[in-house]
Amino acid sequence: MDSQKEALQRIISTLANKNDEIQNFIDTLNQTLKGVQENSSNILAELDEEFDSLYSILDEVKESMINSIKLEQARKSQELQSQLSQCNNALENSEELLEFATRSLDIKEAEEFSKAARQIKDRVTMASAFRLSLKPKVSDNMTHLMVDFSQERQMLQTLKFLPVPKAPEIDPIECLVADNAVTVAWRMPEEDNKIDHFILEYRKTNFDGLPRVKDERCWEIIDNIKGTEYTLSGLKFDSKYMNFRVRACNKAVAGEYSDPVTLETKALNFSLDNSSSHLNLRVEDTCVEWDPTGGKGQENKIKGKENKGSVHVTSLKRHTRSGTPSPKRTSVGSRPPAVRGSRDRFTGESYTVLGDTAIESGQHYWEVKAQKDCKSYSVGVAYKTLGKFDQLGKTNTSWCIHVNNWLQNTFAAKHNNKVKALDVTVPERIGVFCDFDGGQLSFYDANSKQLLYSFKTKFTQPVLPGFMVWCGGLSLSTGMQVPSAVRTLQKNENGMTGSASSLNIVTQ
């Protein structure tokens, strides 16, 4: 009976997953259909615009050529009209001279005839008819303005849609996820020397496999990539996976997207649990600050409001984290904050706040930065069973490094009320590496990756990130992968923790 129920449960789970997969595909098809309709309308509008542009250019060229012909016609006509006018004047003068010479032949007196003959000779010498060119200055040939658009017509007849670049292919083997950076590499299925650049798009998701249409974040765009790989750095890995796709572009058009690739980007994400933090700590998501007024004054205000029948939330507001919580996360966000003074809250001189996500396996890394004026703080891990009066490092259920800047400056590792002074400079940022399965808790200078101290133990219960603050504040950076430099140092330091031998202990 039980085995049949288990089998049926597996079948139900398989069917539910398949239904979810089919529904996602239906959403994809519907979105694609909508995209076809919208893109077709846009392309038709662009086509009309391009042809209108061609018509406009042809009209402008035609008008320019008509003007050229008219100008040439006017120039030649003016030249010929001028030459014609000169010829008419010369002919008129020549006819008059011819008539005068003909009459002179009838003169009988020798002296008068000689005078007339001299006049005729002088007038003939000066006559414009003998200095006039009888060749037209311009011809009637207009062939230099004729056109032959046969080649252009052939070119217009070859008008066609732009060749769209083929979809690139992302190579998952060449992609790299490390140090909170992702390098995506791709290649073209065939050589295309007209490609100008690539566009890379990515988005975070908590689903493996094909990207989902609904309930997803928007695609982020990286444009104008000249090479065939790109590195996104400085990322916060606050989702399990990231989707990537890329498209090639020539000077005018972008090609199809590549098949999307999903890369795993798991990292430890946690917030600070303000439901059990000390009253004198103001806690907001990944920041904690000492608040000397956070005790009785605020508690009395809350009680006074409660007596009037309403509860007013004071300045210690809890901010809900965005994103999907880790499967290991305790259900802190789903329960109301604990009433001040409850047994779950740290009290006394245990100015402590814990993370809201338990570490039960694997290797994890986060960083902590203290305010410059912070007088005292501790950073480490603790079991869930840490008592509300217990201070980090003073029990066998917590491990930490402690910084004291009050009265005298000290920097030490602490566990089970044992202290190991550290002869190193307190860094600006402290990196915390926790290898639960390997029983390793190490602290680093987050900038230089210098090892500050390592605990070697055997964790027998899930641990929570722990922090103590007095007169100052801390800010956390989570969603970080274990840096490559830390992994390398861990390999080198594995089994070499003699400096911490006095504090290494197995706790039950």
Side-chain angles (χ1 to χ4, degrees), residues 312-329:
H312 178 71
V313 181
T314 62
S315 59
L316 295 180
K317 296 180 180 179
R318 174 171 180 82
H319 292 262
T320 303
R321 297 188 66 207
S322 60
T324 303
S326 165
K328 302 290 186 184
R329 175 155 308 185

Side-chain angles (χ1 to χ4, degrees), residues 109-133:
E109 293 182 5
E111 183 178 353
E112 186 178 350
F113 181 81
S114 296
K115 181 180 177 181
R118 286 195 299 272
Q119 289 178 352
I120 292 171
K121 181 180 179 181
D122 292 341
R123 289 181 65 182
V124 167
T125 303
M126 299 299 294
S128 59
F130 293 97
R131 293 181 288 106
L132 188 67
S133 173

Side-chain angles (χ1 to χ4, degrees), residues 8 87 93 114 151 159 162 178 184 194 202 208-209 385 452 499:
L8 184 58
C87 288
N93 292 334
S114 296
Q151 290 184 350
L159 288 178
L162 278 171
V184 184
K194 294 184 179 181
Y202 68 94
D208 194 4
T385 56
L452 304 175
S499 62

Side-chain angles (χ1 to χ4, degrees), residues 272-336:
L272 297 175
D273 180 9
N274 72 351
S275 68
S276 61
S277 60
H278 195 283
L279 288 174
N280 288 111
L281 298 181
R282 183 166 60 249
V283 177
E284 295 184 359
D285 197 13
T286 56
C287 296
V288 54
E289 189 171 356
W290 168 259
D291 182 10
T293 66
K296 295 181 180 179
Q298 292 186 10
E299 186 177 21
N300 290 336
K301 287 182 181 179
I302 294 176
K303 290 181 178 180
K305 300 276 186 176
E306 289 175 343
N307 292 334
K308 293 181 180 181
S310 62
V311 178
H312 178 71
V313 181
T314 62
S315 59
L316 295 180
K317 296 180 180 179
R318 174 171 180 82
H319 292 262
T320 303
R321 297 188 66 207
S322 60
T324 303
S326 165
K328 302 290 186 184
R329 175 155 308 185
T330 56
S331 58
V332 173
S334 63
R335 65 174 182 259

Side-chain angles (χ1 to χ4, degrees), residues 370-396:
Q371 294 178 355
K372 291 184 178 180
D373 59 348
C374 190
K375 293 184 179 180
S376 179
Y377 62 93
S378 298
V379 177
V381 299
Y383 289 158
K384 295 180 179 180
T385 56
L386 184 69
K388 67 179 183 179
F389 294 102
D390 294 337
Q391 299 180 26
L392 289 179
K394 291 192 174 184
T395 68
N396 63 351

Side-chain angles (χ1 to χ4, degrees), residues 101-292:
T102 302
R103 290 197 307 268
S104 297
L105 290 175
D106 296 333
I107 298 176
K108 303 299 184 179
E109 293 182 5
E111 183 178 353
E112 186 178 350
F113 181 81
S114 296
K115 181 180 177 181
R118 286 195 299 272
Q119 289 178 352
I120 292 171
K121 181 180 179 181
D122 292 341
R123 289 181 65 182
V124 167
T125 303
M126 299 299 294
S128 59
F130 293 97
R131 293 181 288 106
L132 188 67
S133 173
L134 299 180
K135 180 180 179 181
K137 290 185 177 181
V138 294
S139 70
D140 60 353
N141 187 1
M142 298 287 283
T143 57
H144 63 289
L145 293 177
M146 293 184 66
V147 296
D148 179 9
F149 291 149
S150 58
Q151 290 184 350
E152 286 76 6
R153 281 195 296 271
Q154 291 179 359
M155 290 179 61
L156 289 173
Q157 289 171 351
T158 61
L159 288 178
K160 57 184 180 181
F161 297 109
L162 278 171
V164 179
K166 293 185 179 297
E169 299 172 352
I170 299 179
D171 187 356
I173 297 178
E174 296 297 324
C175 296
L176 178 64
V177 180
D179 298 319
N180 282 81
V182 179
T183 298
V184 184
W186 60 88
R187 58 175 176 269
M188 295 300 297
E190 58 185 49
E191 186 176 354
D192 187 349
N193 56 12
K194 294 184 179 181
I195 291 178
D196 178 68
H197 64 279
F198 296 92
I199 298 175
L200 175 67
E201 298 186 6
Y202 68 94
R203 65 182 178 184
K204 297 178 180 180
T205 179
N206 285 311
F207 299 100
D208 194 4
L210 293 176
R212 305 198 169 209
V213 176
K214 293 184 177 179
D215 302 325
E216 285 289 355
R217 307 182 194 185
C218 296
W219 289 96
E220 301 287 340
I221 299 175
I222 306 295
D223 200 353
N224 201 33
I225 301 173
K226 297 298 183 180
T228 56
E229 72 172 38
Y230 189 84
T231 299
L232 292 162
S233 57
L235 298 171
K236 179 177 181 179
F237 287 167
D238 51 3
S239 63
K240 295 180 182 178
Y241 305 95
M242 289 181 68
N243 301 139
F244 296 90
R245 64 185 185 185
V246 66
R247 64 198 307 194
C249 305
N250 55 30
K251 289 292 185 181
V253 65
E256 293 288 334
Y257 286 107
S258 65
D259 291 335
V261 169
T262 300
L263 301 178
E264 188 176 28
T265 56
K266 286 197 303 185
L268 177 66
N269 284 275
F270 66 90
S271 293
L272 297 175
D273 180 9
N274 72 351
S275 68
S276 61
S277 60
H278 195 283
L279 288 174
N280 288 111
L281 298 181
R282 183 166 60 249
V283 177
E284 295 184 359
D285 197 13
T286 56
C287 296
V288 54
E289 189 171 356
W290 168 259
D291 182 10

